Amino acid sequence: MSQPSPQDPARARHHSGTDADAGPDVDAGADARAEVEVEVEARPGAEEKGDGLRERLVRTGVALVDAEGAQALTLREIARRAGVSHGAPRRWFPTHLDLLSAIAREGFAELAARVAEADREADRTDAGPRERVETLTGVYLGYAAERRGMYELMFRHDLLESGRLGLRETSLPLFARLAALVAELRPGTDAVTAAGALWANLHGLAQLRHWGSLSLATGSDDPAPFVRAALDAHLGPAEPTR
């Protein structure tokens, strides 16, 4: 569903036991320069103990991914911007993937909050399952457009430790919500497979729209007709409104 990763070599270094802090497209010279910058810019006494440091590192990572994308999330750069030495993150995050996962968890928590608010509004209007799916797709595509860097990180599970730090518990309920709605609309079918196919469609739509490929191929950047076609394909045509 996601674009091919330039970060696979970095991940390979992680699994081989070597330093994966540098992240993608960062050479050894750049790492060395970043390390020097960290030592120069780290503020004396800035490395507070306890949850304060952990939360500051995560907040810094969230701001960095929003500003520059997932490729900027190296341990050294996060430490530099947080004003601590480059070794400080390892006190809370033993690996680069642990810190990335903690950052991604913040994104899933925000997306879950948006979905919950949409569900509360649907409850107030007594919306049916089809309307709820349509609303859910709007929330998902809106988040993809507004929080582009975070969105791309969140679904790169090849870069994350989804079974740790509560990430899986934050991300999987969102898919379960979609699958439950699909089950209401298509009783007797494999709702998980249908929901997975629909999600793949939506994710591809978000990516192609961002890259400009959708408008190039179709002449339109408006996602609405493509969303309707995807919903009709996976859920059947919507019932006519009265």
Side-chain angles (χ1 to χ4, degrees):
M1 293 179 289
S2 303
Q3 68 189 94
S5 168
Q7 298 193 5
D8 289 341
R11 187 167 187 261
R13 288 197 298 274
H14 165 75
H15 286 295
S16 65
T18 55
D19 185 9
D21 293 358
D25 302 324
V26 178
D27 59 26
D31 253 2
R33 289 191 297 274
E35 183 172 340
V36 171
E37 289 175 1
V38 168
E39 295 302 330
V40 170
E41 296 185 20
R43 299 188 302 273
E47 296 178 25
E48 70 270 28
K49 295 180 180 180
D51 290 344
L53 174 58
R54 182 190 188 282
E55 291 172 0
R56 181 145 60 94
L57 290 167
V58 173
R59 286 198 308 270
T60 299
V62 169
L64 182 57
V65 77
D66 281 338
E68 300 185 24
Q71 73 278 358
L73 291 176
T74 68
L75 284 177
R76 283 182 172 84
E77 182 61 13
I78 293 172
R80 186 185 76 80
R81 296 195 182 209
V84 298
S85 67
H86 69 265
R90 292 194 182 278
R91 299 178 185 179
W92 279 101
F93 305 102
T95 70
H96 187 201
L97 304 193
D98 285 326
L99 180 51
L100 292 181
S101 300
I103 294 167
R105 187 179 187 281
E106 296 298 305
F108 277 114
E110 183 188 359
L111 179 56
R114 294 191 187 192
V115 170
E117 176 57 32
D119 265 341
R120 286 191 291 271
E121 179 60 29
D123 289 340
R124 286 192 288 269
T125 61
D126 197 27
R130 173 76 180 218
E131 291 175 272
R132 290 174 185 265
V133 172
E134 291 173 356
T135 299
L136 185 58
T137 62
V139 171
Y140 183 84
L141 293 176
Y143 189 89
E146 295 167 24
R147 300 289 307 278
R148 188 66 209 176
M150 178 64 82
Y151 172 80
E152 290 189 346
L153 174 66
M154 286 162 57
F155 297 102
R156 288 297 311 277
H157 283 283
D158 57 325
L159 301 180
L160 304 175
E161 292 286 0
S162 62
R164 299 172 61 179
L165 306 174
L167 178 59
R168 187 173 296 172
E169 290 78 3
T170 310
S171 61
L172 291 183
L174 292 170
F175 179 75
R177 177 62 183 140
L178 176 61
L181 290 171
V182 171
E184 286 188 64
L185 287 165
R186 297 186 60 188
T189 64
D190 183 347
V192 170
T193 298
L198 175 57
W199 175 37
N201 243 176
L202 296 173
H203 192 82
L205 175 59
Q207 295 289 66
L208 292 172
R209 189 183 182 206
H210 173 69
W211 295 331
S213 302
L214 187 67
S215 59
L216 179 66
T218 67
S220 174
D221 190 47
D222 179 8
F226 305 106
V227 169
R228 285 195 299 271
L231 293 177
D232 288 348
H234 295 291
L235 304 178
E239 294 183 3
T241 57
R242 296 179 181 179

